[in-house]
Amino acid sequence: MNSIDLGGLLGLNDLGRYLDQVNNMLLDQIKLAEPSIKKAANRILLHGGKRLRPVLVIASAMCQGDKANENIIKLAAAVELIHIASLIHDDIIDKSDKRWGIPTINNFEGIELAILVGDYILAAGLRLSSEVNQQITQILADTYADMCNGQSREAGQKFNLQRSTRSYLTTTDEKTARLTSTSCQIGAIENHFSKTKIISLGSYGHFFGLSFQLIDDLLDLLSTEDQIGKPVGNDIKEGQYTLPVILSLKNKPNDNLVSLLNKTPVTVSNFKSIVSILEKDGSLLKTIKLVKRNNRLAGTSLTDFKKTIIVNGLVSLPKTYTDWALAIQSVL
């Protein structure tokens, strides 16, 4: 499946060049690391991901006609380093074997080195940001603390059949949406946008981040490892009940679903039965409905901006991403 042409969508003809600069900065930040840390970090950084958060930094900074100077590229790289550090730590917690189609550090090099690499990359991101703006570095540090809080809250909800929608949305905000929100704000801060515009971009990133995580949760139920580059069904297996399961348990109590969730380990057959229940009772479609609502709210957050090509692209990005991510499933 082809990836989204973010440069074309956002009207950023030089996006490829900007991301090349980001990639070079990522590697440059770990060049002084101890060899085993450097080797493992290089392996992950080179494979990367969608680089969505650096794109949001760059696009937000440029959305009212400003340029993406070296400081904006540094901030884009800093955000990606912080994001990747969080993923390395998440993979340790989730005992994940793969990410982006390659072995995780905890699987290939071991948990001890994975912890060190994640910590090193986090420090590198904050160090890089500090070269640009101390206020932004503080914002990034606060954001990472929120992400840790969200991960901790989620861990406390494992195998909780009474988990509330509010609990899920709170942890999703902290764990995922805070970083997308921050990504949309820091370039605007560096380019001296008004406080109102900075807040609006943060709101855009918040709603897009919620939508992004909901889609990720849906793909964990509906996709395959080959399609998304990491094992599927992990949320159910680890007892992390995401919104479709929560809705099913809350709105239509189902003894069969409870029985299947209580069975350990979760077999392939049981997992398919769980997904079938979520399809039949409408919980998957209700989740998609919330995705679309968040997409609309993200777009309306930018209503007061001057309508540039980039702003129009940002408004359309959440829906475009949703359509792309779920196109391989017949659920839209």
Side-chain angles (χ1 to χ4, degrees), residues 144-310:
Y144 199 84
D146 286 339
M147 294 164 69
C148 292
N149 282 334
Q151 190 69 49
S152 178
R153 290 185 212 277
E154 185 171 76
Q157 293 292 324
K158 279 192 174 186
F159 299 102
N160 181 6
L161 296 173
Q162 282 76 47
R163 189 182 188 188
S164 67
T165 300
R166 179 184 292 276
S167 167
Y168 168 83
L169 293 176
T170 298
T171 57
T172 298
D173 174 37
E174 292 176 326
K175 200 175 68 146
T176 302
R178 292 290 169 90
L179 188 58
T180 53
S181 179
T182 295
S183 299
C184 292
Q185 288 184 306
I186 60 175
I189 293 171
E190 178 62 21
N191 277 349
H192 307 293
F193 282 30
S194 69
K195 184 176 180 180
T196 300
K197 281 189 167 57
I198 292 168
I199 292 171
S200 295
L201 282 165
S203 180
Y204 168 84
H206 164 76
F207 288 116
F208 184 25
L210 291 177
S211 173
F212 186 93
Q213 186 59 56
L214 285 164
I215 292 168
D216 194 62
D217 294 344
L218 284 166
L219 293 178
D220 190 66
L221 293 166
L222 298 169
S223 193
T224 67
E225 182 174 327
D226 289 340
Q227 289 168 332
I228 63 174
K230 60 181 180 179
V232 297
N234 267 1
D235 291 335
I236 296 290
K237 294 172 186 175
E238 294 296 321
Q240 299 291 3
Y241 301 143
T242 54
L243 191 62
V245 174
I246 293 168
L247 291 175
S248 185
L249 290 169
K250 179 181 178 182
N251 296 327
K252 291 189 177 181
N254 186 306
D255 290 341
N256 191 30
L257 176 58
V258 171
S259 176
L260 289 167
L261 292 172
N262 282 332
K263 290 181 179 179
T264 55
V266 178
T267 65
V268 173
S269 176
N270 287 349
F271 177 71
K272 289 181 178 178
S273 296
I274 290 169
V275 174
S276 178
I277 290 171
L278 302 180
E279 288 175 334
K280 289 176 181 177
D281 70 12
S283 297
L284 295 176
L285 290 177
K286 288 176 184 176
T287 301
I288 292 170
K289 185 177 180 180
L290 182 57
V291 168
K292 293 180 177 180
R293 178 177 181 272
N294 285 323
N295 289 347
R296 290 193 296 271
L297 290 170
T300 58
S301 297
L302 303 181
T303 300
D304 294 334
F305 279 64
K306 180 175 67 179
K307 295 301 183 285
T308 64
I309 293 175
I310 296 176

Side-chain angles (χ1 to χ4, degrees), residues 14 42 62 78-79 89 97 182 201 220-221 236 239 246-247 328 331:
D14 289 333
N42 270 334
M62 297 179 66
V79 163
H89 290 149
D97 294 332
T182 295
L201 282 165
D220 190 66
L221 293 166
I236 296 290
I246 293 168
L247 291 175
I328 52 178
V331 294

Side-chain angles (χ1 to χ4, degrees), residues 30-92:
I30 50 98
K31 67 182 181 182
L32 297 180
E34 189 274 334
S36 61
I37 292 177
K38 182 178 179 180
K39 182 178 179 180
N42 270 334
R43 187 172 67 81
I44 296 300
L45 292 173
L46 287 170
H47 281 84
K50 294 176 280 293
R51 300 286 191 249
L52 176 62
R53 289 149 196 85
V55 170
L56 290 175
V57 174
I58 294 166
S60 297
M62 297 179 66
C63 73
Q64 297 294 273
D66 299 273
K67 302 297 183 182
N69 56 30
E70 183 181 4
N71 281 347
I72 298 300
I73 301 302
K74 283 185 176 181
L75 292 175
V79 163
E80 186 68 357
L81 287 166
I82 289 168
H83 171 58
I84 290 176
S86 74
L87 295 182
I88 292 170
H89 290 149
D90 285 352
D91 287 338
I92 296 168

